[in-house]
PDB file of all heavy atoms in Angstrom:
ATOM      1  N   THR A  44      -0.533   8.496  -2.520  1.00 63.00           N
ATOM      2  CA  THR A  44      -0.135   9.454  -3.533  1.00 63.00           C
ATOM      3  C   THR A  44      -1.101  10.633  -3.507  1.00 63.00           C
ATOM      4  O   THR A  44      -2.253  10.484  -3.128  1.00 63.00           O
ATOM      5  CB  THR A  44      -0.096   8.810  -4.936  1.00 63.00           C
ATOM      6  OG1 THR A  44       0.315   9.793  -5.882  1.00 63.00           O
ATOM      7  CG2 THR A  44      -1.447   8.241  -5.330  1.00 63.00           C
ATOM      8  N   ARG A  45      -0.606  11.774  -3.900  1.00 63.00           N
ATOM      9  CA  ARG A  45      -1.453  12.961  -3.943  1.00 63.00           C
ATOM     10  C   ARG A  45      -1.269  13.643  -5.299  1.00 63.00           C
ATOM     11  O   ARG A  45      -0.588  14.658  -5.416  1.00 63.00           O
ATOM     12  CB  ARG A  45      -1.080  13.911  -2.811  1.00 63.00           C
ATOM     13  CG  ARG A  45      -2.053  15.054  -2.679  1.00 63.00           C
ATOM     14  CD  ARG A  45      -1.737  15.891  -1.482  1.00 63.00           C
ATOM     15  NE  ARG A  45      -2.661  16.999  -1.422  1.00 63.00           N
ATOM     16  CZ  ARG A  45      -2.570  17.977  -0.577  1.00 63.00           C
ATOM     17  NH1 ARG A  45      -1.612  17.987   0.308  1.00 63.00           N
ATOM     18  NH2 ARG A  45      -3.445  18.954  -0.588  1.00 63.00           N
ATOM     19  N   PRO A  46      -1.882  13.082  -6.351  1.00 62.00           N
ATOM     20  CA  PRO A  46      -1.705  13.653  -7.686  1.00 62.00           C
ATOM     21  C   PRO A  46      -2.432  14.983  -7.863  1.00 62.00           C
ATOM     22  O   PRO A  46      -2.112  15.741  -8.762  1.00 62.00           O
ATOM     23  CB  PRO A  46      -2.284  12.587  -8.604  1.00 62.00           C
ATOM     24  CG  PRO A  46      -3.276  11.868  -7.748  1.00 62.00           C
ATOM     25  CD  PRO A  46      -2.726  11.908  -6.361  1.00 62.00           C
ATOM     26  N   ALA A  47      -3.409  15.254  -7.045  1.00 66.00           N
ATOM     27  CA  ALA A  47      -4.143  16.529  -7.100  1.00 66.00           C
ATOM     28  C   ALA A  47      -4.284  17.026  -5.668  1.00 66.00           C
ATOM     29  O   ALA A  47      -3.358  16.949  -4.889  1.00 66.00           O
ATOM     30  CB  ALA A  47      -5.501  16.321  -7.771  1.00 66.00           C
ATOM     31  N   ALA A  48      -5.468  17.468  -5.286  1.00 68.00           N
ATOM     32  CA  ALA A  48      -5.672  18.008  -3.948  1.00 68.00           C
ATOM     33  C   ALA A  48      -6.082  16.939  -2.940  1.00 68.00           C
ATOM     34  O   ALA A  48      -6.196  17.213  -1.761  1.00 68.00           O
ATOM     35  CB  ALA A  48      -6.748  19.098  -3.993  1.00 68.00           C
ATOM     36  N   THR A  49      -6.299  15.715  -3.383  1.00 72.00           N
ATOM     37  CA  THR A  49      -6.787  14.658  -2.506  1.00 72.00           C
ATOM     38  C   THR A  49      -5.787  13.505  -2.454  1.00 72.00           C
ATOM     39  O   THR A  49      -5.243  13.096  -3.476  1.00 72.00           O
ATOM     40  CB  THR A  49      -8.140  14.123  -3.033  1.00 72.00           C
ATOM     41  OG1 THR A  49      -9.036  15.216  -3.184  1.00 72.00           O
ATOM     42  CG2 THR A  49      -8.729  13.107  -2.081  1.00 72.00           C
ATOM     43  N   TRP A  50      -5.567  12.978  -1.253  1.00 69.00           N
ATOM     44  CA  TRP A  50      -4.707  11.804  -1.097  1.00 69.00           C
ATOM     45  C   TRP A  50      -5.438  10.560  -1.577  1.00 69.00           C
ATOM     46  O   TRP A  50      -6.610  10.377  -1.304  1.00 69.00           O
ATOM     47  CB  TRP A  50      -4.313  11.616   0.369  1.00 69.00           C
ATOM     48  CG  TRP A  50      -3.260  12.571   0.809  1.00 69.00           C
ATOM     49  CD1 TRP A  50      -3.434  13.734   1.478  1.00 69.00           C
ATOM     50  CD2 TRP A  50      -1.861  12.436   0.597  1.00 69.00           C
ATOM     51  NE1 TRP A  50      -2.233  14.351   1.702  1.00 69.00           N
ATOM     52  CE2 TRP A  50      -1.240  13.581   1.172  1.00 69.00           C
ATOM     53  CE3 TRP A  50      -1.069  11.487  -0.028  1.00 69.00           C
ATOM     54  CZ2 TRP A  50       0.131  13.774   1.141  1.00 69.00           C
ATOM     55  CZ3 TRP A  50       0.306  11.691  -0.050  1.00 69.00           C
ATOM     56  CH2 TRP A  50       0.885  12.814   0.531  1.00 69.00           C
ATOM     57  N   LEU A  51      -4.715   9.704  -2.287  1.00 66.00           N
ATOM     58  CA  LEU A  51      -5.254   8.424  -2.744  1.00 66.00           C
ATOM     59  C   LEU A  51      -4.448   7.305  -2.112  1.00 66.00           C
ATOM     60  O   LEU A  51      -3.236   7.407  -1.979  1.00 66.00           O
ATOM     61  CB  LEU A  51      -5.157   8.297  -4.266  1.00 66.00           C
ATOM     62  CG  LEU A  51      -5.867   9.354  -5.100  1.00 66.00           C
ATOM     63  CD1 LEU A  51      -5.528   9.151  -6.571  1.00 66.00           C
ATOM     64  CD2 LEU A  51      -7.358   9.274  -4.881  1.00 66.00           C
TER      65      LEU A  51
END
Side-chain angles (χ1 to χ4, degrees):
T44 181
R45 189 174 178 187
T49 306
W50 284 98
L51 301 174

